Amino acid sequence: MKILYQWVENLAFYMVLVTAVLRILPRKEYEKYVRVFLGMILILFIMLPIMKVTGMKKNFFRFYQNRQYELNRKELEKQEEYLKNMDLTDFVPEQYKNNQENEQKEEKISVGEIKVGE
């Protein structure tokens, strides 16, 4: 009985909150979009006790978490591909590019003759 009382209490609080949100909207054009969103939340509020009793609540949240994980993974893969294709030399200032070329030229060493063991 306590669970039912808690559920009715949550729904009553939700309805008061919905009424307050609809009253403070700056324009009436937004009302239909807000009502759709709040309606989806109301459906979840009504479904949660049913899902809890049938054991579907865990499966529902697990499905949501798996979906969110897949979206995050795909986004990371896109970013990784972008970074792989990125030419980092575009970000190096010209003065450092010239220094690297000069250093490579200076590294050449010439050796006249080498004698090993006598």
Side-chain angles (χ1 to χ4, degrees):
M1 199 57 150
K2 186 176 181 179
I3 295 172
L4 182 64
Y5 179 75
Q6 180 78 29
W7 182 61
V8 171
E9 190 178 79
N10 287 341
L11 283 176
F13 176 74
Y14 174 78
M15 295 310 259
V16 170
L17 185 66
V18 167
T19 304
V21 167
L22 291 175
R23 296 286 179 210
I24 62 170
L25 283 177
R27 295 184 186 167
K28 292 296 179 188
E29 295 98 33
Y30 301 130
E31 186 174 344
K32 65 180 179 181
Y33 302 111
V34 172
R35 282 188 182 272
V36 167
F37 178 72
L38 294 174
M40 285 190 251
I41 294 175
L42 179 62
I43 290 171
L44 280 176
F45 261 135
I46 292 172
M47 296 286 294
L48 278 176
I50 297 168
M51 291 169 68
K52 190 182 283 187
V53 169
T54 61
M56 291 176 51
K57 182 179 176 182
K58 291 179 184 175
N59 292 336
F60 176 77
F61 286 111
R62 190 177 312 132
F63 172 75
Y64 172 76
Q65 289 172 345
N66 287 340
R67 182 72 180 141
Q68 189 65 34
Y69 169 78
E70 285 298 317
L71 292 173
N72 289 344
R73 187 181 60 77
K74 287 179 183 177
E75 181 65 28
L76 286 173
E77 286 175 354
K78 285 180 189 176
Q79 291 174 0
E80 179 184 20
E81 188 65 31
Y82 172 76
L83 290 174
K84 281 182 180 177
N85 296 331
M86 185 182 236
D87 185 16
L88 296 178
T89 59
D90 294 340
F91 297 103
V92 177
E94 287 298 320
Q95 65 187 21
Y96 294 115
K97 287 180 185 178
N98 294 336
N99 286 344
Q100 280 183 336
E101 291 170 3
N102 292 337
E103 287 175 6
Q104 288 174 356
K105 289 178 185 175
E106 292 172 5
E107 288 179 14
K108 295 179 182 176
I109 299 173
S110 60
V111 177
E113 188 176 319
I114 299 177
K115 292 184 181 180
V116 179
E118 279 189 80

